[in-house]
């Protein structure tokens, strides 16, 4: 019988899920966890290792995935793709709080539209922005310092040797697809891997970064009123970065979007899994000034994503010093709780720095 105060981790034995389960157990020893996924053996193995946890076989493609549970949990954390919104619909129908960290921008928008007709009876936190919502959460935390957010430029460095699950490299399936950005308060479409810029990261290594479709480029204008938001990504291998940018320039990435070429696309991003450092920076400008946010996690992007999911889970449950959110749809920018977020990040070994910066000259 699933305890009513339990948190279900859908995909809980995956790369990010395992990190999240371990972090939740360390921070909340008495929290009952349910490790859910398609395979019972790895779910049971992790549950035994954690203690105060149980395993559940759950198929996200089933019409009612949560029907496999023998009770009504307190919250569901979706850590794998929910292609037909089955987990989301199942949780909303049962009045269960949801944290979802796995959606691309178009699917975040589709979830909002789906829920508009049947408002949820519990909070739904759509936290699929970079690193499970860490980027918009910290940008929102910086908003008060600069008098509101006018412009945000995010630069990400991805370590090719980092540990990554199958969902982590799924962005390869979207690199031939145009997406919307907001510039000067107006939307326009761009292609991924275009409009490169050179970004200096905290270790002093410059990296060339290119446009990438991420949800904060849609939610920061919506929630915080930012007039310009851009997110760009580069790899710690300059050769790979330039190869992908060149493939985009000559139109080959669009040709590679054929379903039969999925394995070819993802092979371009094959990871050794030996480990790598996760790093991103965000330059935030507002009426009262500008600052740079620098984030480095020596344990890699899977760990950093799990830390973002910890913050989302604690926000959803009201364990970050404020009451839980009301029923409805929320994003990480809402009630970001910056001091608590910074304390949690540093407590998990993540390096975070805020530096005052000169404002750029208006064009």
């Amino acid at each position: 019988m699933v305890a009513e105060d339990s948190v279900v981790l859908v995909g809980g034995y995956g790369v990010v899920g395992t990190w999240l389960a371990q972090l939740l157990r360390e921070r909340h020893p008495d929290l009952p966890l349910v490790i859910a996924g398609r395979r019972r053996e790895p779910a049971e193995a992790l549950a035994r290792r954690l203690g105060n946890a149980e395993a559940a076989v759950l198929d996200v493609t089933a019409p009612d995935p949560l029907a496999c549970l023998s009770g009504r949990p307190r919250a569901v954390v979706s850590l794998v793709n929910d292609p037909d919104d089955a987990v989301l619909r199942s949780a909303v129908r049962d009045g269960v709080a949801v944290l979802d960290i796995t959606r691309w921008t178009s699917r975040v928008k589709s979830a909002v539209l789906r829920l508009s007709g049947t408002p949820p009876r519990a909070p739904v936190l759509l936290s699929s922005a970079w690193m499970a919502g860490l980027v918009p959460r910290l940008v929102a935390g910086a908003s008060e310092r600069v008098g509101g957010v006018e412009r945000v430029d995010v630069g990400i460095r991805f370590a090719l040797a980092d540990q990554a699950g199958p969902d982590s490299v799924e962005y390869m399936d979207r690199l031939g697809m145009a997406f919307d950005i907001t510039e000067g308060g107006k939307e326009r479409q761009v292609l991924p891997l275009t409009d490169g810029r050179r970004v200096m990261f905290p270790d002093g290594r410059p990296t060339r970064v290119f446009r990438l479709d991420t949800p904060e480029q849609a939610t920061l204008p919506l929630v915080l009123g930012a007039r310009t938001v851009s997110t760009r990504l580069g790899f710690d291998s300059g050769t790979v970065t330039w190869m992908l940018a060149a493939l985009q320039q000559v139109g080959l990435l669009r040709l590679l979007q054929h379903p039969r070429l999925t394995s070819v696309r993802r092979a371009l991003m094959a990871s050794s899994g030996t480990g790598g450092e996760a790093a991103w920076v965000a330059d935030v400008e507002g009426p009262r000034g500008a600052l740079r946010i620098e984030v480095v996690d020596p344990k890699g992007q899977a760990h950093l994503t799990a830390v973002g999911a910890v913050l989302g889970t604690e926000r959803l449950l009201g364990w970050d010093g404020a009451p839980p959110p009301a029923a409805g749809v929320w994003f990480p920018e809402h009630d970001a709780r910056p001091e608590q977020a910074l304390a949690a990040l540093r407590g998990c070994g993540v390096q975070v720095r805020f530096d005052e910066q000169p404002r750029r000259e208006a064009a």
Side-chain angles (χ1 to χ4, degrees):
M1 183 73 176
V2 171
E4 290 205 354
D5 57 345
S6 64
V7 172
V8 178
L9 307 183
V10 180
Y13 55 76
V15 176
V16 173
T18 298
W19 273 118
L20 174 60
Q22 292 170 345
L23 289 169
L24 287 174
R25 176 56 67 240
E26 290 169 8
R27 293 173 64 83
H28 307 286
D30 297 328
L31 173 64
L33 295 174
V34 178
I35 310 302
R38 289 179 297 175
R39 296 182 294 140
R40 178 172 295 279
E41 292 79 6
E44 288 181 338
L46 180 57
R48 284 194 300 270
R49 194 159 73 244
L50 293 169
N52 194 20
E54 61 181 289
V57 177
L58 185 151
D59 183 356
V60 299
T61 65
D64 187 6
L66 299 186
C68 70
L69 303 177
S70 55
R72 182 174 175 274
R74 183 171 185 176
V76 170
V77 180
S78 184
L79 298 154
V80 294
N81 258 324
D82 185 13
D84 301 313
D85 294 335
V87 173
L88 178 66
R89 289 185 285 112
S90 186
V92 168
R93 186 167 51 245
D94 294 343
V96 176
V98 181
L99 171 67
D100 191 308
I101 71 165
T102 59
R103 293 171 182 266
W104 287 105
T105 309
S106 59
R107 297 206 58 249
V108 169
K109 293 177 179 179
S110 70
V112 173
L113 291 174
R114 180 183 291 279
L115 296 175
S116 64
T118 54
R121 294 179 286 118
V124 174
L125 178 52
L126 298 176
S127 193
S128 297
W130 194 256
M131 298 288 107
L134 276 182
V135 166
R137 188 180 297 276
L138 293 187
V139 167
S143 175
E144 187 174 339
R145 299 194 189 194
V146 298
V149 176
E150 293 176 342
R151 181 184 185 99
V152 182
D153 288 299
V154 180
I156 300 160
R157 187 175 67 205
F158 191 98
L160 290 174
D162 205 351
Q163 188 182 29
D167 288 337
S168 299
V169 296
E170 196 182 45
Y171 58 83
M172 283 299 300
D173 295 343
R174 303 188 58 82
L175 291 183
M177 303 179 187
F179 62 96
D180 293 327
I181 62 167
T182 301
E183 286 184 343
K186 297 180 180 180
E187 284 192 353
R188 72 178 180 95
Q189 283 203 328
V190 298
L191 278 172
L193 293 171
T194 59
D195 192 12
R197 294 186 178 179
R198 185 174 178 269
V199 172
M200 189 69 69
F201 282 84
D203 60 4
R205 291 170 54 198
T207 301
R208 194 77 173 170
V209 295
F210 295 85
R211 289 195 181 277
L212 183 74
D213 181 12
T214 54
E216 68 270 5
Q217 293 172 99
T219 61
L220 283 170
L222 176 69
V223 178
L224 299 184
R227 292 179 55 78
T228 297
V229 183
S230 66
T231 298
R232 292 176 172 85
L233 177 142
F235 304 98
D236 58 354
S237 166
T239 301
V240 171
T241 302
W242 280 111
M243 177 190 71
L244 291 172
L247 289 174
Q248 183 70 282
Q249 189 172 9
V250 299
L252 286 179
L253 279 183
R254 185 178 294 273
L255 296 177
L256 284 171
Q257 297 309 302
H258 193 284
R260 292 182 179 177
L261 298 176
T262 297
S263 60
V264 176
R265 289 194 306 273
R266 297 188 181 183
L268 293 172
M269 290 302 304
S271 168
S272 69
T274 56
E277 179 182 85
W280 62 266
V281 299
D283 292 308
V284 183
E285 296 183 9
R288 294 206 305 264
L291 59 80
R292 165 168 281 207
I293 306 169
E294 297 181 343
V295 176
V296 176
D297 190 343
K299 295 181 181 178
Q301 65 93 16
H303 178 263
L304 188 55
T305 302
V307 174
V310 166
L311 293 177
T313 303
E314 293 178 345
R315 176 81 293 273
L316 194 68
L317 300 176
W319 289 353
D320 59 356
V329 178
W330 301 89
F331 298 110
E333 300 93 316
H334 290 116
D335 193 19
R337 312 289 294 168
E339 296 305 320
Q340 288 78 2
L342 288 173
L345 284 164
R346 289 164 177 157
C348 292
V350 179
Q351 302 161 20
V352 186
R353 183 177 175 183
F354 282 42
D355 278 344
E356 300 292 332
Q357 300 281 309
R359 279 183 62 93
R360 72 180 74 192
E361 296 295 328

